[in-house]
Amino acid sequence: MTQGKPVSIRDVARMAGVSTATVSRVINDNGRFSEATRERVERAIAESGYVANMAAKSLRSQRSYNIGMIVPDISNDFFSAIALHVERTLAASGYSVFVCNTGNSAERERAYFTTLTSKLVDGVLCISGLNELPENLLPDAIPIVCIDRYPASGRRIPRVSSDDVRASRLAVEHLIGQGCRRILYISSYTADYARQDRATGYREALASHGMAVRPVDTLFVTGTRPSMEEAEELVARRIAQGLDFDGIFASSDHTAVGALKALRAAGVDVPGQVRIVGYDDSIYTRLTTPQLSTIQRHTDQLAERGCEVLLQMLAGKTPPAVTIVPTELVVRESSSK
């Protein structure tokens, strides 16, 4: 190739010994060609440094091949894992992903929807902190899929999520089965999102076993500081009032770690005196002593199913309104000897 001259699709075709039409079919993964041809073309692309003209491709297809993804807190390993799987899944279909971190701010989330519209994204995947997604938040031509949370909306927005009520009941019933008779619940923080499915599961499990549901046994994280720190302080304060509980169900692994730190600082044996179950099966659960029992929610499946639903919508299809990804209770040392 002439130095400084952009590599063209004709150059790639000449190197691979095929027609420009064949190169185009391989790049767009559209049409008939052999696996050997694909390998020759891809090798020629790699050796020549050819970069497809995405602007021209977008004009022809009327697509930007960009997807927006809204997350509440990219520093949270649950959300960052979903974002990572989304990026990998959509890259395989030729899409780039704009990740928008709202920092648990409802105002910033609304602003990001406007920004993504101006960037002409083809679609949006959203882990929302809003209680409601107004119909006019995005143009109707831009499909949106909610992952994990599902705010109310007059617009048909498919969701891909876990059954948090069932999973929470499973966690609390495990603690009851291990002999716990007074179980605290530690909340998690969201911007405006009002659904409290994990709290609902907690209450249902207690009620189904004839155990009292005491408002004082719910400890609320406010979001003013990292949830791990807040949970540690809340549990330390409760211990100072007297150790009148023998179980903790935390709505996130972050708050579960905070609770464990408070118990260990107070000399309380876990799981001998108090048993703990967290939520999400993050890396933190395997870094503590004892290791934390938790609910596994399969971030890879949440991301992949979310991408599948969005790609169906981009293809003009109507996906299911609800896709539920299974959850599992992972029992470790914090709740069982």
Side-chain angles (χ1 to χ4, degrees):
M1 307 299 165
T2 303
Q3 188 172 4
K5 182 181 177 181
V7 179
S8 71
I9 194 169
R10 289 186 178 86
D11 296 325
V12 174
R14 189 161 49 251
M15 290 178 66
V18 298
S19 68
T20 55
T22 298
V23 174
S24 179
R25 285 196 294 271
V26 171
I27 291 173
N28 293 287
D29 196 20
N30 183 25
R32 298 178 61 183
F33 49 83
S34 69
E35 188 59 32
T37 298
R38 180 198 294 275
E39 291 176 0
R40 288 207 311 276
V41 170
E42 290 181 345
R43 184 164 56 250
I45 289 172
E47 292 175 355
S48 66
Y50 171 73
V51 178
N53 188 334
M54 292 305 294
K57 184 178 179 182
S58 295
L59 286 172
R60 289 194 303 272
S61 65
Q62 295 187 321
R63 287 189 181 179
S64 66
Y65 290 89
N66 293 319
I67 300 296
M69 181 170 190
I70 294 178
V71 297
D73 181 6
I74 199 66
S75 69
N76 183 307
D77 55 307
F78 175 76
F79 300 130
S80 61
I82 291 180
L84 176 64
H85 289 301
V86 162
E87 192 278 330
R88 287 176 175 172
T89 302
L90 290 178
S93 296
Y95 287 90
S96 298
V97 180
F98 294 129
V99 178
C100 305
N101 177 45
T102 70
N104 277 312
S105 165
E107 181 179 350
R108 192 181 301 175
E109 180 174 337
R110 294 188 185 94
Y112 269 132
F113 275 107
T114 301
T115 299
L116 291 172
T117 300
S118 70
K119 289 186 177 297
L120 303 176
V121 295
D122 293 332
V124 173
L125 292 165
C126 181
I127 306 176
S128 183
L130 301 178
N131 196 40
E132 181 180 6
L133 292 177
E135 294 181 55
N136 62 355
L137 206 56
L138 277 178
D140 289 341
I142 301 179
I144 177 173
V145 176
C146 283
I147 297 178
D148 185 33
R149 305 168 185 174
Y150 42 107
S153 180
R155 175 176 173 176
R156 185 187 187 276
I157 300 178
R159 67 176 173 95
V160 177
S161 60
S162 310
D163 186 344
D164 283 341
V165 174
R166 178 187 173 279
S168 299
R169 285 193 59 154
L170 189 65
V172 176
E173 286 173 352
H174 165 68
L175 290 170
I176 294 171
Q178 292 295 310
C180 295
R181 291 298 172 262
R182 186 163 185 179
I183 301 168
L184 304 186
Y185 171 70
I186 306 177
S187 73
S188 57
Y189 174 78
T190 57
D192 282 354
Y193 191 63
R195 291 189 66 93
Q196 295 291 330
D197 287 347
R198 297 175 202 179
T200 298
Y202 162 77
R203 291 191 297 267
E204 287 183 359
L206 293 183
S208 69
H209 287 267
M211 299 169 66
V213 179
R214 303 176 177 89
V216 71
D217 287 345
T218 295
L219 309 182
F220 292 98
V221 171
T222 66
T224 55
R225 287 182 293 133
S227 59
M228 195 179 297
E229 292 180 12
E230 272 202 271
E232 182 178 3
E233 183 176 295
L234 288 167
V235 174
R237 193 180 305 154
R238 183 60 180 262
I239 294 170
Q241 297 169 358
L243 191 66
D244 59 352
F245 60 92
D246 54 8
I248 294 177
F249 170 49
S251 61
S252 72
D253 290 334
H254 287 221
T255 53
V257 171
L260 177 61
K261 289 178 67 178
L263 290 165
R264 288 177 61 85
V268 178
D269 180 63
V270 178
Q273 294 172 272
V274 176
R275 300 176 189 267
I276 305 175
V277 177
Y279 212 94
D280 290 338
D281 197 23
S282 68
I283 186 63
Y284 294 101
T285 60
R286 293 175 291 283
L287 297 178
T288 59
T289 304
Q291 293 189 346
L292 286 166
S293 298
T294 187
I295 294 293
Q296 166 62 263
R297 289 206 288 159
H298 302 290
T299 53
D300 56 340
Q301 293 183 39
L302 285 167
E304 288 165 10
R305 298 293 92 76
C307 291
E308 287 173 6
V309 170
L310 184 60
L311 290 172
Q312 287 177 32
M313 297 174 76
L314 290 171
K317 300 176 183 178
T318 302
V322 179
T323 302
I324 298 297
V325 173
T327 55
E328 301 166 15
L329 173 66
V330 181
V331 178
R332 298 193 179 101
E333 295 92 338
S334 70
S335 68
S336 178
K337 286 189 175 180

